[in-house]
Amino acid sequence: LHPRTQHQPARAVAVVSAKYLAIVPPLMLGGLFLWALWRRDIPAVAKGGLAGLGAGLALGANQIVGQVVQRARPYSVLATVHAIGSRNGDSSFYSDHTTLAVGAALGVLLLSLRWGSVALVVATMVGIGRIAVGAHYPSDVIAAAVAAAGAVGLLVLLRGPVEGVLSRFLRPA
């Protein structure tokens, strides 16, 4: 559909999801991490910290992959896709917004099933929004989710040794 014929509320939801919601899961993870730190909950601090590092690792890997895999954005090469919002000339593969949102959402899920479910819904909205605004192909969003899950999963495996180190600094008073 041409931008002028699109339903305006749906268009606004797509733009908000694509551009602004990606920060929600990291803020949730940060809040839960600080809460765990304040309570001196060593396992939660380890899981939250490692998940945050995993999300950052996946985001850093995305910067390298984006330089190697130069993939034009859908709105640049497909006549049927019209950009909603601003255009960007960097590589479409893979979505950094989705990487950040999914990585942090998985961290939230490790700390709280209820809040993690909310964070995963938000991360899904980010991915769908990135596709809806024409910034990414579905494969870009799927690859971002896989990269984030892999990095978070890999680092969370280090939880035991990290808990040992943290226990020296966060012993209950």
Side-chain angles (χ1 to χ4, degrees):
L1 291 175
H2 192 275
R4 291 187 194 128
T5 62
Q6 291 174 342
H7 188 49
Q8 291 304 314
R11 188 177 164 153
V13 168
V15 170
V16 168
S17 296
K19 290 185 80 172
Y20 304 111
L21 287 185
I23 194 65
V24 173
L27 288 175
M28 293 172 76
L29 180 59
L32 289 172
F33 176 80
L34 290 174
W35 176 246
L37 194 59
W38 185 75
R39 292 180 300 129
R40 297 177 186 236
D41 181 347
I42 293 168
V45 170
K47 287 187 282 189
L50 288 169
L53 286 174
L57 179 67
L59 198 56
N62 179 28
Q63 300 308 307
I64 296 166
V65 170
Q67 295 300 315
V68 174
V69 179
Q70 289 293 321
R71 184 178 195 183
R73 294 191 180 265
Y75 54 62
S76 297
V77 294
L78 300 174
T80 57
V81 176
H82 298 279
I84 301 174
S86 61
R87 290 177 172 255
N88 194 338
D90 62 350
S91 179
S92 174
F93 188 79
Y94 52 92
S95 170
D96 54 351
H97 288 78
T98 306
T99 302
L100 180 63
V102 170
L106 292 172
V108 174
L109 187 64
L110 289 170
L111 299 176
S112 167
L113 183 60
R114 179 175 25 142
W115 289 112
S117 299
V118 171
L120 285 174
V121 168
V122 171
T124 301
M125 290 175 65
V126 170
I128 292 170
R130 299 301 294 168
I131 295 166
V133 299
H136 291 287
Y137 299 95
S139 59
D140 298 335
V141 169
I142 292 167
V146 169
V152 169
L154 189 64
L155 286 184
V156 169
L157 292 175
L158 301 173
R159 189 180 79 198
V162 170
E163 285 180 15
V165 171
L166 288 173
S167 66
R168 292 186 207 140
F169 299 102
L170 297 178
R171 287 190 187 110

